[in-house]
Amino acid sequence: NAGVMQNPRHLVRRRGQEARLRCSPMKGHSHVYWYRQLPEEGLKFMVYLQKENIIDESGMPKERFSAEFPKEGPSILRIQQVVRGDSAAYFCASSLYSMETQYFGPGTRLLVL
Amino acid sequence: AQTVTQSQPEMSVQEAETVTLSCTYDTSENNYYLFWYKQPPSRQMILVIRQEAYKQQNATENRFSVNFQKAAKSFSLKISDSQLGDTAMYFCAFMSGNQFYFGTGTSLTVIP
């Protein structure tokens, strides 16, 4: 059973460009979570999605950030008009049920020049 | 608000020795879960151990065990027979509802 997959592993963008981060959950998992890790810090919750629905986006900035988890395909975290402060590692996790152990992907390191 | 505190930014241990990493948390919830995750230099987040708050028995996974003190809101991780591969950042995490709350981590170095 493959684990949580994230791509790309590394992404470089210039200020003002768009960043798209993809996450494929573990097989059979329909709950997906996105976290951001700034250097020297722990992970901070951003958004929780279930297939086709955003359940909790309380940790996601209101502007420039959006997330989706379509019926088919991976979950996408989209950052529009990136700024240097968006440089971070973005982790996706999935779980079989809500309030269950979350399994993390390898992360996407975003660098904004 | 839920908070997780790891008061030891860095620790080191001799290979084959035992080390304990501290974690305290604050919550008004009664039903929650606690976790320790390991983040090696590869930056992958790896689940080490999990504890359900309603269970009094401390969780154990091979060389890893926890000391869960619910009244004190303390959740420490003990690593026995430390190995070089244990060198990593260790994050304590609290889950309530669908959100995880992470501590700031403890960087553990195992010295040969």
Side-chain angles (χ1 to χ4, degrees):
Chain A
N1 188 6
V4 178
M5 312 275 283
Q6 287 187 252
N7 68 81
R9 294 292 303 275
H10 300 272
L11 183 61
V12 180
R13 285 287 178 266
R14 297 193 180 279
R15 281 180 295 170
Q17 292 184 320
E18 178 180 287
R20 277 185 178 243
L21 287 62
R22 294 175 186 76
C23 169
S24 297
M26 286 180 71
K27 189 176 180 181
H29 287 194
S30 60
H31 301 261
V32 165
Y33 313 79
W34 285 93
Y35 294 84
R36 177 164 63 177
Q37 184 180 32
L38 295 171
E40 311 300 324
E41 292 188 11
L43 280 69
K44 295 284 195 305
F45 169 80
M46 297 181 74
V47 61
Y48 161 44
L49 310 102
Q50 206 177 344
K51 279 288 185 182
E52 299 185 88
N53 291 305
I54 295 175
I55 308 300
D56 182 348
E57 56 183 347
S58 59
M60 196 159 67
K62 296 282 187 290
E63 303 197 351
R64 301 189 298 107
F65 286 73
S66 61
E68 63 178 18
F69 189 17
K71 187 176 178 181
E72 300 290 338
S75 175
I76 307 284
L77 179 68
R78 183 180 175 206
I79 311 173
Q80 295 178 292
Q81 299 176 344
V82 295
V83 300
R84 288 212 174 114
D86 296 332
S87 295
Y90 291 83
F91 287 89
C92 166
S94 74
S95 65
L96 185 58
Y97 305 110
S98 65
M99 290 197 66
E100 262 294 328
T101 300
Q102 296 179 17
Y103 295 90
F104 284 80
T108 294
R109 278 86 185 155
L110 172 65
L111 175 62
V112 180
L113 301 176
Chain B
Q2 339 289 1
T3 58
V4 179
T5 302
Q6 292 179 250
S7 58
Q8 305 152 314
E10 295 181 357
M11 292 190 73
S12 60
V13 62
Q14 289 289 141
E15 194 176 4
E17 296 293 309
T18 295
V19 65
T20 298
L21 280 58
S22 302
C23 173
T24 58
Y25 58 95
D26 189 22
T27 183
S28 56
E29 304 281 338
N30 195 45
N31 184 23
Y32 53 87
Y33 298 82
L34 294 160
F35 301 81
W36 279 96
Y37 280 88
K38 167 184 175 181
Q39 189 177 45
S42 67
R43 303 294 299 276
Q44 176 96 29
M45 290 287 285
I46 301 166
L47 176 66
V48 174
I49 199 163
R50 157 190 161 130
Q51 174 82 43
E52 291 88 344
Y54 63 84
K55 287 188 178 177
Q56 292 186 337
Q57 187 172 6
N58 289 324
T60 299
E61 286 288 343
N62 301 315
R63 299 183 294 107
F64 299 88
S65 61
V66 298
N67 183 5
F68 174 45
Q69 303 287 330
K70 190 173 183 179
K73 295 179 182 172
S74 169
F75 183 61
S76 61
L77 174 70
K78 185 170 86 170
I79 306 174
S80 304
D81 186 25
S82 297
Q83 299 175 1
L84 296 179
D86 295 334
T87 292
M89 281 288 286
Y90 286 81
F91 291 97
C92 176
F94 166 98
M95 182 175 81
S96 177
N98 293 297
Q99 286 197 25
F100 266 50
Y101 300 87
F102 285 84
T104 51
T106 295
S107 177
L108 176 68
T109 301
V110 179
I111 302 167

